Amino acid sequence: MIRHSEQTHQQLVERLPGATGRDLKDWMRALEDGPSFSRFDEKVNWLRDEHGISHGFATAIVHEADMARAHRKLG
């Protein structure tokens, strides 16, 4: 579940490397390698707590990871 506009989401994704020092693929890999959570908010909270990133960036990462996983299932 995305909690901000698509425009805001895209801006967060674009700013992610500069703000965190890691690109989206690195963050998605960290999320995959982390604990197995089923709920969106659990993943967001883990990224925030474990890696010290903001709620907005964590939400954007989880949303992108969920979209990629759904795309792989459909493909």
Side-chain angles (χ1 to χ4, degrees):
M1 163 187 353
I2 191 164
R3 294 191 169 107
H4 40 256
S5 72
E6 185 60 30
Q7 180 181 9
T8 299
H9 173 76
Q10 289 304 318
Q11 290 171 346
L12 286 165
V13 170
E14 291 169 8
R15 292 191 344 243
L16 191 62
T20 67
R22 296 171 74 175
D23 66 19
L24 179 60
K25 288 185 185 216
D26 286 341
W27 282 114
M28 288 172 57
R29 192 169 22 260
L31 190 57
E32 285 182 22
D33 293 343
S36 179
F37 297 113
S38 58
R39 292 182 33 195
F40 186 93
D41 60 331
E42 292 172 326
K43 297 172 192 177
V44 170
N45 290 336
W46 179 78
L47 284 171
R48 288 175 49 205
D49 295 344
E50 187 69 21
H51 297 282
I53 62 174
S54 74
H55 180 81
F57 285 123
T59 300
I61 294 164
V62 174
H63 179 66
E64 288 290 323
D66 286 353
M67 287 191 322
R69 186 173 36 263
H71 185 261
R72 285 192 303 266
K73 286 183 181 178
L74 294 175

